[in-house]
Each structure stands twice: as structure tokens, then as C-alpha cells.
Amino acid sequence: ESKVIVSLMPGLPLIDGEQEDDYTALQDNCLKAVGPKNAIERIWLQDVIDYSWEAIRLRRAKAALIQIARKAAVELLLTECLGGDYRAKKNAASLTQGWSIKDAEDVETVHKLLEEHGYNTDAIMALAITIKLGDLERIDKLIASYNTRRDAALRELEKRRDILAGRAREFTENTIIDAEVEILVAAE
């Protein structure tokens, strides 16, 4: 790989919390799997790597968003379990805070109240997803967009290789035909 090309590539597209080792492992695996033959292939492959990284990042963001929404879901369910009035909301908020910091007594109380009303962790998850559904759908669209871009870059890379392979076949066939003609002419 040319040093000029490496120096032209942008820096690692990492944000806080992402590990350089994870990105470089993805990059190294892609480079080994594809083995770019020239600068154009390397640039297309870098697009594939970066689009893949963005999609992975967004999948992690979806999980984090659901995790964040779980607290709001627990509070809503507890408010309903406790009667739905102002006092219920206040008690639900307090219990949810304790639950979120893993206070043993509050965790037990929350689970007991939810269970008494027919709720379990699946209900919390379902409500959390519902709370963030619009955001999750937008993230899914972004993931699909990155996957489409990645696939397009892969197709361009494959198309270029197919064209080059065709040219190599044509060259080889023509060389063989020319050599056969020379042999026949020499034999005459």
C-alpha cells in the first residue's frame, strides 16, 4: 500500500467511548479479506470499512437508547401500579431512582409491585421500545442507508475486479492465439 494513499486517508472515525483497537481490527480483517490491489480499491474498501463502522455504532446506540428508556418505562408502569395520581407519580419516581442505582430494597419493591400487576422485564422492554420507537426507526433508516452505501462500494470493487479479470482473460487469450499463430507460421 502506498504511503501517499495512507497519508491521504482521514483519521480514525472514532467518538468518545470507542476503542481504536476495535476499529483497527475491523479494518485489518477487511484488508486481509479483500486485499486491495491498488489505490482505487483501497479507497472503496475504506468506504466499506467506515460504512460498516457507522452501522455498528448505530446498533450500539439503539441498545443504549432502549436502556435509557427503561427507567422511564419503569416509572410509568409503577405510576400505574400505585394508582396513577400525583402521590403515585412521586412514589414511582422515588422507587425508580432507587431501582436505577440498584438499591437492593427498591429493586425488590419495584419487581414485587410490577409482578403483582402482571408486568415483567419484557413489559419494561416493550414500553421502553414504544417510548423511543420514533428514534429507533430513524436509527434503523440510518443503518439501512449505511448498509446500502457499503454494499454499493463493494459492488464497485467487485465490478472493477471483474473488468480487470476480463481484460486479463482477453489479454491471455490473445497472447495464446498469437503464440499459436506464430507456431503455425514457423511450422510451415
Side-chain angles (χ1 to χ4, degrees):
E1 185 173 343
S2 169
K3 291 194 185 289
V4 174
I5 296 303
V6 171
S7 69
L8 292 176
M9 293 293 186
L12 300 180
L14 303 177
I15 60 174
D16 290 344
E18 293 180 337
Q19 302 300 313
E20 183 175 337
D21 289 347
D22 293 338
Y23 180 86
T24 55
L26 172 67
Q27 188 176 46
D28 291 346
N29 284 327
C30 289
L31 287 167
K32 285 177 191 170
V34 176
K37 308 270 188 259
N38 55 46
I40 293 171
E41 288 187 4
R42 179 63 174 90
I43 290 168
W44 278 331
L45 183 57
Q46 190 60 49
D47 284 346
V48 168
I49 293 164
D50 289 346
Y51 293 143
S52 297
W53 185 258
E54 291 291 335
I56 291 166
R57 175 186 291 146
L58 289 170
R59 286 185 182 100
R60 286 193 322 267
K62 281 177 56 178
L65 195 59
I66 293 168
Q67 184 64 27
I68 291 165
R70 288 180 73 237
K71 185 175 177 182
V74 167
E75 189 169 336
L76 285 170
L77 291 173
L78 286 176
T79 299
E80 181 184 315
C81 293
L82 296 171
D85 60 9
Y86 175 75
R87 173 172 253 146
K89 287 181 184 184
K90 191 172 180 179
N91 288 337
S94 176
L95 281 170
T96 300
Q97 182 59 32
W99 173 85
S100 72
I101 62 169
K102 299 183 182 3
D103 176 82
E105 187 178 321
D106 287 340
V107 168
E108 185 179 332
T109 302
V110 166
H111 286 288
K112 183 179 176 187
L113 277 169
L114 293 176
E115 190 176 286
E116 286 173 1
H117 289 85
Y119 299 123
N120 58 20
T121 55
D122 290 338
I124 295 169
M125 186 64 62
L127 187 53
I129 289 170
T130 301
I131 290 169
K132 293 297 183 180
L133 191 56
D135 295 328
L136 294 170
E137 287 175 340
R138 284 191 295 279
I139 292 172
D140 277 338
K141 286 179 184 178
L142 286 171
I143 291 170
S145 172
Y146 283 119
N147 288 341
T148 299
R149 292 175 188 177
R150 179 203 60 218
D151 293 347
L154 281 171
R155 278 191 303 276
E156 286 301 317
L157 184 59
E158 290 168 357
K159 187 166 74 173
R160 178 174 171 73
R161 285 194 172 173
D162 287 346
I163 289 169
L164 292 175
R167 287 180 186 163
R169 265 191 311 278
E170 185 178 310
F171 175 79
T172 303
E173 288 170 2
N174 288 339
T175 302
I176 290 170
I177 290 171
D178 290 346
E180 288 173 348
V181 168
E182 287 179 23
I183 290 170
L184 289 174
V185 169
E188 291 179 355

